[in-house]
Amino acid sequence: MMITTMVDLAVDLSALEHNYRQLRGLCDPQVKLLAVVKADAYGHGLLPVSRKLAAAGVDYLGVGSLEEGLMLRGAGINLPVLLLLGILPEEAARAVAADLEVALFRLEVAQALAAAAGQQGKRAKVHLKVDTGMGRLGVLPQEVLPFLGGLKKLRHLKVMGLISHLAVADQEDKTYTHKQLQEFTSVLGAAREAGWKLPLSHIANSAALWELPAGHLGLVRPGLMLYGSPPSPQRPPPVDLKPVMSLAARILQVKRLPPGSSISYGCTYTTPDWCDLAVLPVGYCNGYSRLFSNRGEVLIHGRRAPIRGRVCMNLTMADVSGIPGVKEGDRAVLLGEDQGAQLRAEELAGWAQTISYEIYCALGTANLRRYTGV
Ligand SMILES: Cc1ncc(COP(=O)(O)O)c(C=O)c1O
């Protein structure tokens, strides 16, 4: 993590709470909400984000590893927590001791959890993961009933429900998504007919939360929209989302270059004219992608300044010709708002041909975070 007072990565927890309430408003009141806070809350910070959402009334938290779950418990957060990636068999005792619920797709893990729960006088809660078309974790739909059959003897296991993940819920064409949901509800129905109660089954990510109400079931599992980004930048959701993360930096140097000057490694940009250049103390070590080279923009005095030349490890150059009065020490905004102008994570993602998720994870985990609205 880069520690420097020249760079300011801010996380606005009041925006997070605002987004949470917006998402709540899209669901029926009886639908539970699991906030996906894996990957250090998409780079926003596991504990501050989880504390804020817990105070706001979130029902469940979803993390990516046993360690993240244990961190929540260590911080005194006693909400139900689901380990979305499951666990290794050898992690079972610690998961059970901390009352962490587990996404399940391996019989060995079920056996390890049941054994640990038996020893600890508990019942381990699991959510059976079904691969309805994501092609990632989970048992195939036709394997669900035999798998459940294999769990019957494990008295110390409580199967909470089936869970699945949608592959293209963010796309306008919902054909595949409906197919996945149909596959899911039909296997859920079959399992219930076979006698399994399955009180809490879930499939809806952010995109399904706003575009697939039929997929809400008992619980929705949004991540991205909590952090203020739409799942599909082309189709803004019908709620007001406020970006939670922002990134600013102080200008290290301003200088005037004559026509024909090269800028940064590789001499990939040559000034066609006189150029006023601002040098910023941010680079790819800060999670600011090198793919932004000659493509991205930053905000200075509320105006857009194009990035010139390659983004370096710690430095990036922006063209401030035509922006009057720019001086050393002035603030440049690389993500967020400046005097009414805005750079959203979706735009940065577009420069690098990636998604806003990656922008948040990269910036948020590489820089020291400052929290507001705590
Ligand atoms: C299993 C699972 N559920 C829900 C989510 C949340 O998805 P989104 O951030 O698109 O809302 C994720 C995120 O990757 C996930 O892996």
Side-chain angles (χ1 to χ4, degrees), residues 130-143:
V130 189
D131 180 4
T132 55
M134 176 71 186
R136 208 168 71 172
L137 288 178
V139 303
L140 296 175
Q142 63 272 25
E143 295 165 349

Side-chain angles (χ1 to χ4, degrees), residues 105 136 164 180 214 230 344:
F105 41 88
R136 208 168 71 172
S164 193
Q180 279 197 267
R344 291 225 178 202

Side-chain angles (χ1 to χ4, degrees), residues 145 148 152 185-198:
L145 287 184
L148 283 170
K152 265 204 183 124
T185 49
S186 107
V187 72
L188 185 58
R192 285 197 174 128
E193 257 175 48
W196 294 87
K197 289 207 178 68
L198 308 175

Side-chain angles (χ1 to χ4, degrees), residues 19-100:
N19 297 335
Y20 166 75
R21 298 207 184 285
Q22 296 282 308
L23 297 192
R24 271 283 189 214
L26 291 175
C27 306
D28 284 343
Q30 76 279 6
V31 173
K32 290 186 193 300
L33 193 144
L34 177 152
V36 180
V37 293
K38 66 176 185 173
D40 208 8
Y42 291 32
H44 293 70
L46 175 67
L47 294 184
V49 163
S50 299
R51 280 198 191 101
K52 188 69 176 183
L53 292 171
V58 79
D59 303 288
Y60 252 89
L61 296 168
V63 295
S65 64
L66 174 67
E67 286 71 16
E68 284 187 329
L70 295 177
M71 275 176 74
L72 291 174
R73 294 297 185 238
I77 296 172
N78 292 320
L79 284 172
V81 171
L82 176 58
L83 306 184
L84 291 163
L85 308 189
I87 55 167
L88 300 170
E90 58 267 34
E91 295 176 322
R94 283 184 294 155
V96 172
D99 294 320
L100 299 168

Side-chain angles (χ1 to χ4, degrees), residues 1-339:
M1 184 198 297
M2 298 306 117
I3 300 182
T4 161
T5 51
M6 296 174 188
V7 177
D8 180 26
L9 187 295
V11 176
D12 178 358
L13 294 175
S14 57
L16 174 79
E17 181 173 355
H18 166 89
N19 297 335
Y20 166 75
R21 298 207 184 285
Q22 296 282 308
L23 297 192
R24 271 283 189 214
L26 291 175
C27 306
D28 284 343
Q30 76 279 6
V31 173
K32 290 186 193 300
L33 193 144
L34 177 152
V36 180
V37 293
K38 66 176 185 173
D40 208 8
Y42 291 32
H44 293 70
L46 175 67
L47 294 184
V49 163
S50 299
R51 280 198 191 101
K52 188 69 176 183
L53 292 171
V58 79
D59 303 288
Y60 252 89
L61 296 168
V63 295
S65 64
L66 174 67
E67 286 71 16
E68 284 187 329
L70 295 177
M71 275 176 74
L72 291 174
R73 294 297 185 238
I77 296 172
N78 292 320
L79 284 172
V81 171
L82 176 58
L83 306 184
L84 291 163
L85 308 189
I87 55 167
L88 300 170
E90 58 267 34
E91 295 176 322
R94 283 184 294 155
V96 172
D99 294 320
L100 299 168
E101 302 180 22
V102 176
L104 182 68
F105 41 88
R106 283 178 65 193
L107 209 50
E108 301 91 306
V109 170
Q111 286 155 349
L113 281 167
Q119 276 164 8
Q120 297 179 31
K122 292 181 170 182
R123 283 184 88 195
K125 292 182 177 169
V126 296
H127 302 235
L128 176 54
K129 183 114 187 181
V130 189
D131 180 4
T132 55
M134 176 71 186
R136 208 168 71 172
L137 288 178
V139 303
L140 296 175
Q142 63 272 25
E143 295 165 349
V144 167
L145 287 184
F147 193 98
L148 283 170
L151 303 184
K152 265 204 183 124
K153 325 178 266 312
L154 304 176
R155 284 187 302 113
H156 290 279
L157 214 61
K158 181 171 167 63
V159 185
M160 299 294 287
L162 305 185
I163 70 171
S164 193
H165 194 43
L166 297 167
V168 286
D170 54 320
Q171 288 180 10
E172 194 162 7
D173 181 348
K174 293 285 185 281
T175 314
Y176 193 83
T177 302
H178 283 134
K179 217 172 109 229
Q180 279 197 267
L181 180 60
Q182 159 66 31
E183 191 80 75
F184 189 64
T185 49
S186 107
V187 72
L188 185 58
R192 285 197 174 128
E193 257 175 48
W196 294 87
K197 289 207 178 68
L198 308 175
L200 200 59
S201 293
H202 41 109
I203 191 168
N205 54 5
S206 290
L209 194 155
W210 77 276
E211 285 198 305
L212 197 72
H216 287 186
L217 309 177
L219 178 144
V220 290
R221 278 195 328 253
L224 189 69
M225 278 167 80
L226 287 169
Y227 306 107
S229 278
S232 162
Q234 291 75 36
R235 283 175 302 111
V239 285
D240 169 44
L241 296 178
K242 292 191 197 305
V244 176
M245 186 185 289
S246 59
L247 178 69
R250 306 287 298 279
I251 296 174
L252 284 179
Q253 191 186 4
V254 180
K255 64 179 174 197
R256 172 157 279 211
L257 292 176
S261 305
S262 290
I263 296 173
S264 193
Y265 289 118
C267 301
T268 59
Y269 185 85
T270 305
T271 54
D273 216 328
W274 283 93
C275 171
D276 293 319
L277 201 70
V279 185
L280 309 175
V282 176
Y284 55 79
C285 79
N286 302 90
Y288 197 71
S289 175
R290 191 165 172 274
L291 295 169
F292 299 161
S293 301
N294 287 313
R295 233 176 265 161
E297 292 176 329
V298 304
L299 302 174
I300 296 175
H301 296 188
R303 307 260 301 270
R304 284 176 176 253
I307 292 170
R308 301 296 191 211
R310 288 209 176 126
V311 171
C312 309
M313 186 180 291
N314 292 91
L315 296 165
T316 295
M317 278 58 73
D319 190 338
V320 292
S321 313
I323 305 180
V326 177
K327 51 189 193 314
E328 281 131 18
D330 283 358
R331 194 164 166 271
V333 171
L334 297 97
L335 174 70
E337 212 222 284
D338 186 29
Q339 300 176 32

